[in-house]
Amino acid sequence: MSTYISTLRYSLYVIFHPFDGFWDLKREKRGSLSAALTITGILILTYVIRRQYTAFLFNTNDIKELNLILEIISVLLPFLLWCISNWCLTTLADGEGTFKDIVIATSYSLTPLVIINLPLIPLSYLFNLEEASMYYFFLTLSIIWTVGLMIFSTMITHQYTMKKTLLTIVGILIGMAVMIFIGLLFTSIIQQIIGFFYIIYKEIVFRF
Amino acid sequence: MKKLSKRIIVGVLTLMLLCSSLFIPTAKASVPYDSYTYNFWLDPVESPNPYVPKDEFTGDPTTMGKFNNPQDLFITKDGIIYVADTDNNRIVFLDTSFQYIGEITTFHNGDTFNKPQGIFVTEGNHIFVADTENQRIVEFDENKQFVREILRPETELITDNTSFRPTKVVIDGAGRIYTLAIGINSGIVELNPDGTFQGFTGASEVNINPISYVWRRYFATDEQKKRMELIIPTEYNNLFLDNEEFIYVTMGNVDVKDYGIDVIRRLNPSGINVIRDFGYGSPIGDYFVRDQQDITRFNDITVTDYQVYTALDGVNGKLFTYDYDGNLLYVFGSNGARQGNFKNAVSVEQYQGTLYVLDNGNNSITSFELTEYGSLVNNAIKLHYEGKYEESAENWQQVLKFNANSDMAYIGLGKVYLRNGEYKKAMDYFKLANNRKYYSKAFTFYRRQFLGDNFGLIMTSVVIIIICILGLRVYLKTKKINVQKREVNGI
């Protein structure tokens, strides 16, 4: 239990010392999968709460149309796609990280999104529109910070040079797009097949 | 037992339904269209009818016969309707209950009109007719006597030598003549009071996407260029002079890909569009029709003294009313065959709260009278425009009884509460209407008030929390030291 908490607390060290942090995360086993999944879980929770409970001024979503499953998928799907695409590409390109390493490193680099966005939800009730730039500054900060960490996590987990890392990340993004494309293609084909058999079934039913 | 009670309940409910249907006013069912507005997310929301059809006039066989393709309508302040009865080559005068008063067919020693498409009457009851196919504007005095004709203005700026065919005309208080003419797309033609050419005003800009521009400029061969459509600005198709002598213009000939351009404009004297656009969406008509063929195409507009404007979409037979800030108040009307429907509506005018729509498909004029709901909305806007916020709020309160979805009412009431210093209530109303701009204003005041009222409490709790944290740290430190001491002492 105490190792779990200490690995979870280690995420706070990682986000301020990315080079050192990601190195130890993998080589010194300072992180754990359970802590990583916890961070991702909290991130999902953050996004759901943010969507529902951000103050009126900063929340232009139609709350009537809030769909919990869609909200969860909108965080989880990109995360999984990133990890899978990352793993697919780096195993071929001399990456040193295993799939587990990638999941842990990616989750840990999502920490800024949680620690900035979660307090920002109650804070949003204190701002008016003139002070909105402050709110949006923190929002942007969390995203930039996370993107930076993602780059460093890929670089250090796989022991790449900066140039190779950036190239790999472009490749990862393309890989994600390809996966989405194949997924959509597959769903639509399955739909067609189901529709086809359903029509045959109806034809038979009407005939007899 | 359970079944029986269920049956009784069903029976009672059915009876209630039957009874209630007896009391539904039949007038509502006879209105041949649905009215609606748009909410914050630009989804259409049903609303009560603001106007209901009152009367339809197709002509009077004993006096004037029937209309034939009439194109324009004008109503003066003293309630005389002037109709440009285009294919009958005449101008007809009616009173507001459609009684025939007279007409102009021949004038000035047997001169006649040739398909006049536009008419305007000045404050001094001088009549100006855009005599389209005769390529002139004709002026008559208050006794319907011919004064003069204004021919094609002499200027090099109108390059097309052959024709100057005016379709619509307005005259401002200083006697300047503004006219739209077929094929002239440089804007409104402005003539001096004596009929000489002054210039163009308010030209609409060219809409072109960069890719097709680059293609045309650098890659297309001459052969291809010949077959491409010309890049020309969209022409205005109607104008209206409001009580501040600003000109409202509409653009009807818009392409589907031009969806979203400002088709209603209010031009100031130097020709700049000064229309206010603070509604949920810009005043461009329907929002759900994006990328569909039946996008809104306005062909006429009429404006009240308090800058509430109603624009007519002749293609879809709808009327859109906006207030001076560009908030959509209501949409009503439709094409169809019932009384109160349109076939091809071309012109709209209003007189003391009654709307008159000219339809050249049916060759008729239809009048629409305000319902209680409509007049409440209009009154509320008017009072607010005049600065009578309290009275306006009373009207909005009434509007809410008819229509709980009226965002305008919530905003109106919110503004009054904001002025009265009831910030929390104002915030609630602005929230209902999804108006973040005013919500933020009310919130700023509320926050200040809240901090002022609870300053003592907030400061006390902050101090207590700080003391608690400090105390805890000191406690933990001493505990740690004690533990270390014990370790040192070997216990």
Side-chain angles (χ1 to χ4, degrees), chain A residues 36-48:
Chain A
L37 294 180
T38 310
I39 292 168
T40 315
I42 297 173
L43 182 70
I44 291 170
L45 205 67
T46 308
Y47 269 79
V48 173

Side-chain angles (χ1 to χ4, degrees), chain B residues 137-367:
Chain B
I137 295 162
V138 189
E139 182 182 351
F140 298 91
D141 66 11
E142 61 275 21
N143 301 317
K144 277 67 167 177
Q145 292 307 306
F146 176 82
V147 177
R148 59 170 172 164
E149 59 177 14
I150 298 153
L151 294 168
R152 181 175 191 280
E154 290 191 12
T155 167
E156 288 165 1
L157 288 173
I158 300 177
T159 47
D160 186 358
N161 271 322
T162 51
S163 73
F164 167 71
R165 292 188 289 156
T167 54
K168 302 289 178 237
V169 60
V170 298
I171 319 298
D172 74 3
R176 280 185 294 259
I177 301 158
Y178 298 89
T179 180
L180 297 174
I182 295 169
I184 292 177
N185 51 36
S186 316
I188 302 167
V189 182
E190 187 183 345
L191 306 174
N192 292 320
D194 61 359
T196 53
F197 183 76
Q198 168 66 39
F200 294 109
T201 182
S204 64
E205 62 293 329
V206 177
N207 289 298
I208 179 168
N209 70 20
I211 294 169
S212 69
Y213 176 77
V214 169
W215 174 254
R216 175 187 288 266
R217 183 83 176 72
Y218 298 105
F219 297 101
T221 61
D222 288 345
E223 201 64 15
Q224 283 172 325
K225 272 182 199 163
K226 247 184 246 170
R227 285 171 166 252
M228 278 186 221
E229 57 178 326
L230 286 171
I231 304 172
I232 46 171
T234 316
E235 291 168 38
Y236 300 130
N237 58 1
N238 220 322
L239 21 77
F240 187 96
L241 190 78
D242 72 12
N243 62 324
E244 288 167 14
E245 304 237 311
F246 282 37
I247 296 175
Y248 277 86
V249 289
T250 54
M251 257 192 270
N253 187 21
V254 286
D255 209 62
V256 175
K257 67 175 173 2
D258 292 336
Y259 169 89
I261 63 168
D262 41 355
V263 285
I264 296 176
R265 295 177 183 188
R266 184 176 186 235
L267 304 174
N268 70 3
S270 50
I272 292 163
N273 182 14
V274 291
I275 199 145
R276 287 166 67 82
D277 179 10
F278 297 111
Y280 294 137
S282 302
I284 56 165
D286 270 324
Y287 301 112
F288 64 82
V289 291
R290 175 187 277 276
D291 297 329
Q292 291 174 25
Q293 277 308 313
D294 53 350
I295 66 167
T296 306
R297 292 181 170 93
F298 291 124
N299 54 7
D300 197 10
I301 189 165
T302 175
V303 186
T304 63
D305 288 346
Y306 45 102
Q307 302 295 331
V308 168
Y309 50 96
T310 300
L312 173 67
D313 171 10
V315 179
N316 302 299
K318 284 179 186 171
L319 290 138
F320 294 78
T321 302
Y322 298 89
D323 76 353
Y324 47 85
D325 270 342
N327 292 303
L328 181 64
L329 298 180
Y330 36 76
V331 185
F332 69 99
S334 81
N335 283 337
R338 293 171 65 187
Q339 190 189 351
N341 284 148
F342 310 121
K343 218 175 198 172
N344 184 28
V346 289
S347 188
V348 59
E349 283 291 326
Q350 61 189 333
Y351 178 70
Q352 293 181 349
T354 306
L355 277 179
Y356 294 85
V357 179
L358 182 70
D359 189 326
N360 76 359
N362 289 332
N363 288 321
S364 69
I365 305 173
T366 310
S367 61

